[in-house]
Amino acid sequence: YGFNGNAEYNSMRFQDYAMGEFFNLIKKEPFYKDTIFLIYGDHGLTSFKSKNLKQSYIDLRLTSNNVPLIVLGPRIEPSVNNKVSSQADVTATMAGLLGIEHTQTAIGRNIFDKNLEDGALIITSPAAPLEIGFVQGDYYYLAWSGKEGLFKYKEDSQKDYCQQEKEKCEKMKNLTQGLYEASRYITFHHTKGE
């Protein structure tokens, strides 16, 4: 189920226990009632033996991008949000939860925005050869080494749907390239105070 062995699984179980103990203690503190906690991972598990994932999901290396985001607080209504999003969305999401008006100068967005179209830019390999893509719904557009493909990552096969679904492939290609170039621009042209 994504773990490379019992020791790795037990480390996750210990983390779950430790977080439970932490929140049992922190709930007694006076500041708890006015605090929002965000807990997220920096990467997912990369096991190629996951029994709970489709083979295409593993082969496309999306496992390393599958991370939890847990939002906790006494004023947060319990729910599950399955929208595709990314770590770039954390800042805008937090500002939205706090009711802070802000100007977004990066590619992130508030994942709790009801008008939000789901999707996330994926940079699998930040160095050459560059692998970038966009996940939206059941599809993953991936560009690498001068090649491209549109895949249904919830399938067991790695069939390329670019020819069969040209309009969707082109849309996701444009989203991938646009968000990647916007990210690069922001990185090199973002000045203090903006």
Side-chain angles (χ1 to χ4, degrees):
Y1 297 98
F3 298 98
N4 64 16
N6 201 43
E8 187 175 65
Y9 177 63
N10 281 336
S11 73
M12 185 65 73
R13 290 175 58 207
F14 177 72
Q15 177 186 335
D16 184 56
Y17 167 78
M19 285 174 46
E21 289 299 303
F22 171 78
F23 281 104
N24 284 337
L25 291 171
I26 204 86
K27 284 179 183 177
K28 300 171 187 171
E29 298 297 328
F31 62 83
Y32 179 79
K33 67 180 173 40
D34 295 319
T35 305
I36 298 174
F37 299 88
L38 261 71
I39 302 162
Y40 57 95
D42 64 339
H43 61 82
L45 299 172
T46 56
S47 172
F48 294 103
K49 300 176 187 175
S50 297
K51 295 177 183 177
N52 58 325
L53 297 171
K54 295 293 185 179
Q55 192 60 44
S56 183
Y57 193 89
I58 295 166
D59 293 342
L60 291 166
R61 299 187 328 184
L62 285 168
T63 53
S64 62
N65 294 290
N66 189 8
V67 296
L69 169 62
I70 301 169
V71 181
L72 293 167
R75 298 181 187 171
I76 303 295
E77 194 65 37
S79 66
V80 174
N81 182 337
N82 289 316
K83 284 184 181 174
V84 175
S85 55
S86 77
Q87 291 173 337
D89 300 325
V90 170
T91 304
T93 299
M94 195 64 183
L97 287 168
L98 294 171
I100 297 172
E101 287 192 34
H102 70 289
T103 301
Q104 185 64 16
T105 59
I107 65 168
R109 64 258 149 87
N110 181 352
I111 64 171
F112 296 113
D113 180 346
K114 302 233 185 292
N115 299 317
L116 179 71
E117 183 179 1
D118 81 336
L121 175 68
I122 303 290
I123 302 176
T124 304
S125 172
L130 182 65
E131 290 184 20
I132 57 173
F134 191 79
V135 175
Q136 188 174 54
D138 294 339
Y139 291 90
Y140 179 39
Y141 170 84
L142 179 61
W144 72 101
S145 299
K147 301 175 197 163
E148 69 176 351
L150 179 66
F151 307 98
K152 290 185 178 180
Y153 63 88
K154 294 180 182 178
E155 292 184 348
D156 276 326
S157 70
Q158 238 184 325
K159 177 183 175 186
D160 180 354
Y161 286 86
C162 264
Q163 291 302 313
Q164 188 176 337
E165 300 195 38
K166 290 180 182 180
E167 192 174 309
K168 178 167 266 318
C169 183
E170 190 64 23
K171 176 187 176 192
M172 292 183 73
K173 175 182 183 175
N174 290 337
L175 284 166
T176 301
Q177 291 176 337
L179 286 167
Y180 175 70
E181 292 301 332
S183 299
R184 284 183 41 172
Y185 181 85
I186 290 166
T187 300
F188 297 109
H189 294 89
H190 201 346
T191 59
K192 189 175 182 179
E194 288 185 9

